[in-house]
Amino acid sequence: MKGPRGTIAWSCLNLIRSKGCYFVVKHNSITLCNKENNASNRGWLTIHNGLKNMVYGIHYFYSKPLLFVGIGFRIWTKLTSSGPVLVAKVRFSKDLYIPIPEDVFVIPLNPNLLLVRGLSKETVNQFCSFVRSFKKPDKYKGK
């Protein structure tokens, strides 16, 4: 799909074939059809939500803020020869260098606040959970 923010692709062809669904594209609209005319097919909901997320992602960015709370925790971005990198000081003696995927935009708003934006909801959530895995929240305070 192409939109004002970019282009996004979703490989759901095997899922569509296994559920007996097909698409009809007419005049900038997508219609999802089922061969068995069974509305209770659970695969429909997965395909529908995937398409809905794609349409939302190319018109508006998915964004997620990450807040690093702790003494000496800092984050910033850096451009290296291998591409953009997120540099984090999180309870280690050396800095962490986390490569940023091509379809994810990382904006450091403060030294402790990071905004992750992207076209795909899955990639934004996956990158946020990857960054969060280096600094797990305290089980008592939740920070």
Side-chain angles (χ1 to χ4, degrees):
M1 281 190 182
K2 289 184 181 179
R5 304 278 182 201
T7 304
I8 189 170
W10 183 45
S11 59
C12 64
L13 191 59
N14 291 333
L15 180 65
I16 292 170
R17 286 181 184 160
S18 66
K19 299 300 178 186
C21 303
Y22 60 94
F23 292 110
V24 176
V25 179
K26 288 183 183 177
H27 307 294
N28 294 333
S29 66
I30 299 172
T31 306
L32 182 62
C33 301
N34 190 357
K35 292 179 182 175
E36 295 124 18
N37 292 329
N38 186 2
S40 66
N41 193 348
R42 291 187 183 189
W44 276 55
L45 187 60
T46 305
I47 296 167
H48 176 266
N49 286 338
L51 288 173
K52 184 175 72 170
N53 289 340
M54 284 175 59
V55 170
Y56 182 84
I58 59 174
H59 288 288
Y60 314 101
F61 280 121
Y62 282 103
S63 62
K64 198 167 199 178
L66 286 177
L67 182 65
F68 290 83
V69 178
I71 298 172
F73 289 174
R74 291 193 183 121
I75 46 172
W76 64 91
T77 56
K78 189 177 188 181
L79 188 60
T80 61
S81 61
S82 62
V85 172
L86 178 69
V87 184
K89 278 191 158 261
V90 183
R91 94 180 149 190
F92 298 117
S93 61
K94 296 183 179 180
D95 296 341
L96 287 174
Y97 290 92
I98 303 167
I100 300 172
E102 292 180 4
D103 54 345
V104 174
F105 307 107
V106 176
I107 305 165
L109 300 175
N110 288 333
N112 295 341
L113 183 62
L114 182 72
L115 183 67
V116 180
R117 300 180 88 181
L119 297 175
S120 174
K121 187 177 186 178
E122 294 141 8
T123 56
V124 169
N125 288 337
Q126 185 178 12
F127 182 72
C128 286
S129 66
F130 181 69
V131 171
R132 200 180 299 124
S133 69
F134 292 109
K135 189 259 176 193
K136 298 194 177 184
D138 185 25
K139 58 184 170 183
Y140 295 111
K141 291 183 181 178
K143 294 182 181 180

